[in-house]
Amino acid sequence: MHSIREWLRDASSIAVLTGAGVSAESGVPTFRGGSGNNPGLWKRYRAEELATPAAFARDPKLVWEWYDWRRGLIAEARPNPGHYALAKAEARTPNFTLITQNVDGLHELAGSRNVLRLHGSIWILRCMECRREREDRRTPLPEIPPRCECGGMLRPGVVWFGEALPAKIWQDAEMAARSADLFLLIGTSAVVYPAAGLASMAKSVGARVVEINIAETGFSDSIDEFLQGPSGELLPQLMA
Ligand code: OAD
């Protein structure tokens, strides 16, 4: 903990990759791994069975019911001390990029500014026909699946398995990882690529990599420091 505090203080460029674990203490269920308060499953489905274009084509109502359920939970959620600690770190580091796989918007609510949302936002709806996007924070949605004024079906403005990440955002994330002297991997199982590859990218160009998670992941052996525990407790201690 002591050396990580020094690394944080001395770093001129920090990149962070967060996953569902940072929002677990806000009451948002993770997808994998236990966080105590949830099994990572909705009904009997796993994320890989719902967050895909094929699942949506087959049963848009089912997929929307899952998103509507998650939107309801997220609407009730507030940032936790981990989100706030990251916003504070940004304010005092010259170059700080927060890359997140989360679609809940809690980093922004906590005050983080330079946020790269790799997987989109659960509050954005996009028309399958005319492609128009809009923000819609109603929960529950009045109609499922929701419809665009043009008559087309709306889909969640998130990235599904098998879909490309938004090109410019990914480019910026890669650049942040490659130019960081400290990379933090927080609350992610680090199994979904390409996001998971960012830590190795940072490591390959000489950054120190620190992981914070309640449990070890496949990455934990190839990093500089592993801090085990909830990010909502550890991050405020690190940034104090
Ligand atoms: P996961 O659900 O795969 O992993 C959550 C990680 O957070 C696990 O490693 C847990 O051990 C850890 N964790 C849980 N509670 C924690 C806490 N309080 N503090 C620190 N760590 C904690 O979530 P992601 O890695 O974000 O993609 O999943 C990646 C992607 O897979 C998601 O963006 C989503 C999902 O399917 C799509 O929907 C495309």
Side-chain angles (χ1 to χ4, degrees):
M1 178 79 88
H2 178 68
S3 52
I4 303 173
R5 275 216 192 91
E6 278 175 8
W7 296 346
L8 277 164
R9 198 191 53 216
D10 298 343
S12 59
S13 181
I14 299 179
V16 183
L17 175 67
T18 64
V22 283
S23 295
E25 288 154 272
S26 295
V28 182
T30 58
F31 302 97
R32 304 170 192 83
S35 70
N37 66 343
N38 73 82
L41 291 172
W42 174 76
K43 298 190 178 169
R44 63 201 153 82
Y45 301 97
R46 295 169 344 113
E48 289 83 350
E49 296 171 283
L50 295 166
T52 72
F56 191 68
R58 194 164 51 234
D59 195 344
K61 189 161 172 285
L62 174 74
V63 172
W64 261 117
E65 279 170 358
W66 181 52
Y67 279 99
D68 205 38
W69 170 73
R70 290 179 55 212
R71 284 164 57 97
L73 293 175
I74 292 168
E76 298 287 311
R78 293 293 164 264
N80 66 56
H83 294 108
Y84 288 114
L86 288 170
K88 192 164 143 193
E90 175 174 3
R92 66 181 195 204
T93 310
N95 295 296
F96 189 98
T97 309
L98 179 47
I99 308 160
T100 188
Q101 300 165 87
N102 298 346
V103 296
D104 56 30
L106 291 180
H107 285 303
E108 290 89 338
L109 263 185
S112 285
R113 291 173 179 279
N114 192 15
V115 182
L116 298 176
R117 281 199 308 243
L118 291 180
H119 292 168
S121 164
I122 201 156
W123 303 117
I124 303 281
L125 274 51
R126 186 166 71 243
C127 179
M128 306 281 290
E129 302 297 327
C130 71
R131 304 272 149 199
R132 200 169 77 82
E133 290 193 348
R134 83 253 14 237
E135 193 181 85
D136 188 336
R137 291 184 172 260
R138 287 175 300 171
T139 159
L141 283 164
E143 182 194 14
I144 279 189
R147 297 253 160 212
C148 178
E149 301 86 69
C150 80
M153 195 189 293
L154 293 167
R155 61 162 280 177
V158 301
V159 176
W160 282 330
F161 289 99
E163 292 183 323
L165 299 184
K168 172 75 170 80
I169 294 176
W170 175 249
Q171 215 175 32
D172 290 351
E174 262 192 336
M175 193 130 75
R178 288 189 196 284
S179 58
D181 29 60
L182 180 61
F183 190 96
L184 309 178
L185 189 64
I186 310 173
T188 175
S189 55
V191 291
V192 177
Y193 279 79
L198 289 168
S200 333
M201 238 178 245
K203 185 103 190 97
S204 70
V205 292
R208 287 193 166 110
V209 179
V210 173
E211 181 178 42
I212 299 176
N213 200 304
I214 53 168
E216 288 200 5
T217 68
F219 253 86
S220 308
D221 284 339
S222 45
I223 55 164
D224 297 286
E225 283 286 344
F226 175 72
L227 273 185
Q228 184 160 15
S231 51
E233 289 173 25
L234 292 176
L235 284 170
Q237 287 172 25
L238 280 176
M239 311 299 176

